[in-house]
Amino acid sequence: MKKSIIILCVLFSSLRAAESNSYRIAINKTTFCVAKGNMYNRHSDCGVMVVGLNQQSSLSEPEFDDVYKLGDMFVSKEKMVRVIPPGYDSGSSDDVYRSWEGEESKSLYKQAVNYTVSCDLVTVYEPRIGYGRMYKNPKNYEYFTPSNRRRPLLGDVALQAAGVDLYNCYKNLLQGILDSEEIINKKKVVLQQLSIDLGFPRDKAAPIIFKAIIDFISSHPEYDELKLFVTQKSELQNYKRLMLEYIEANQKK
């Protein structure tokens, strides 16, 4: 593994001086790539596409009934996704926080469009975070854990608990794809950033998602490529920084 990291360090040195729309790192036999762009246009280049079930529900007239468990994975027979309208996610470096129950989010489904993909489509039940709904805590994060749906966790405690569930969601998802008998081509997977359209702050989600994917492929070499798509320049730079920090830390080992 150290050899691949040293080789990639040369690549990242050149990226420091130039902008790019994607960055990648190789671990074991898997290439992990983070790219800025439209994930749905890449369905013909991959075997599996992953989207969030709650995110898709919010684009199909929101109705959160919580009948699923976090991390539950489903292979779609219709292979149809609901796509956020162009321009909703900023292409700038501004990270404007959006809570999934905000006024803008409530009407977003009316603008979403259907898109059919040719690869296998997987949906996964991901965490979502509220903000400012409790009367006594008008400016606070809120998270209902799977074991307690009556009283939410608040503030930093809510983010920490949701972060643990988000981490496990990715690891369960990646294992579930490998174990699935319904999915034929499992070598190349494109992934959505789960939970960021559902109240999870983008800057706090990035290190959790990164660690979950890196930890999994470090001990599971079955995938050829995992490609995570982002929509904002700031997100791409966050992942670039995380990759560089990972490379530098492993060079010292």
Side-chain angles (χ1 to χ4, degrees):
M1 184 165 72
K2 190 170 183 179
K3 181 179 180 182
S4 63
I5 290 174
I6 292 174
I7 293 173
L8 280 162
C9 188
V10 177
L11 170 63
F12 269 82
S13 295
S14 64
L15 293 179
R16 290 177 192 267
E19 289 296 324
S20 174
N21 283 326
S22 66
Y23 300 106
R24 61 189 64 235
I25 186 171
I27 298 176
N28 284 339
K29 297 179 181 179
T30 304
T31 297
F32 173 37
C33 175
V34 180
K36 178 180 179 297
N38 187 338
M39 178 181 79
Y40 306 105
N41 290 339
R42 303 303 301 272
H43 63 96
S44 61
D45 299 332
C46 67
V48 185
M49 178 177 291
V50 177
V51 295
L53 180 59
N54 274 329
Q55 188 257 7
Q56 286 293 293
S57 296
S58 71
L59 296 177
S60 304
E61 192 156 6
E63 181 181 349
F64 297 97
D65 50 13
D66 289 327
V67 297
Y68 306 112
K69 296 179 181 178
L70 283 172
D72 278 355
M73 187 193 87
F74 306 92
V75 180
S76 170
K77 298 185 185 305
E78 294 80 13
K79 298 186 178 183
M80 186 184 72
V81 291
R82 295 281 287 172
V83 181
I84 294 177
Y88 176 77
D89 282 306
S90 171
S92 70
S93 296
D94 297 328
D95 287 319
V96 178
Y97 177 76
R98 291 186 176 95
S99 179
W100 67 267
E101 75 285 284
E103 291 302 318
E104 185 180 8
S105 299
K106 289 179 181 178
S107 60
L108 188 63
Y109 74 92
K110 297 178 181 178
Q111 306 172 50
V113 296
N114 294 332
Y115 194 90
T116 302
V117 298
S118 58
C119 61
D120 281 316
L121 178 66
V122 169
T123 58
V124 58
Y125 192 71
E126 75 278 40
R128 63 181 187 270
I129 296 179
Y131 186 82
R133 292 182 298 167
M134 301 292 288
Y135 178 75
K136 294 181 180 180
N137 299 278
K139 294 184 179 180
N140 221 342
Y141 294 112
E142 303 156 8
Y143 181 59
F144 289 90
T145 65
S147 60
N148 185 356
R149 300 190 183 279
R150 291 188 175 184
R151 188 177 183 86
L153 299 175
L154 300 174
D156 292 339
V157 176
L159 285 177
Q160 183 177 7
V164 172
D165 287 340
L166 180 61
Y167 175 89
N168 290 330
C169 192
Y170 270 96
K171 294 196 73 175
N172 293 342
L173 162 71
L174 292 173
Q175 184 62 59
I177 292 174
L178 293 177
D179 294 341
S180 175
E181 296 181 356
E182 298 179 75
I183 301 173
I184 299 175
N185 183 4
K186 308 174 182 181
K187 291 297 185 180
K188 289 188 176 182
V189 180
V190 295
L191 302 129
Q192 188 180 58
Q193 285 191 106
L194 300 175
S195 295
I196 63 164
D197 292 325
L198 298 163
F200 210 118
R202 296 171 186 271
D203 60 331
K204 292 178 172 57
I208 297 170
I209 295 171
F210 180 82
K211 179 172 171 48
I213 293 175
I214 291 294
D215 286 353
F216 188 87
I217 61 178
S218 293
S219 57
H220 295 79
E222 292 91 341
Y223 291 109
D224 286 346
E225 182 181 63
L226 298 178
K227 181 172 285 189
L228 181 73
F229 277 85
V230 303
T231 58
Q232 298 186 348
K233 293 179 182 178
S234 57
E235 292 176 305
L236 187 62
Q237 292 306 309
N238 281 340
Y239 282 102
K240 175 186 176 182
R241 174 181 54 80
L242 290 167
M243 286 185 177
L244 284 168
E245 290 174 354
Y246 178 82
I247 291 170
E248 292 170 359
N250 279 273
Q251 279 185 307
K252 296 177 182 178
K253 292 182 179 180

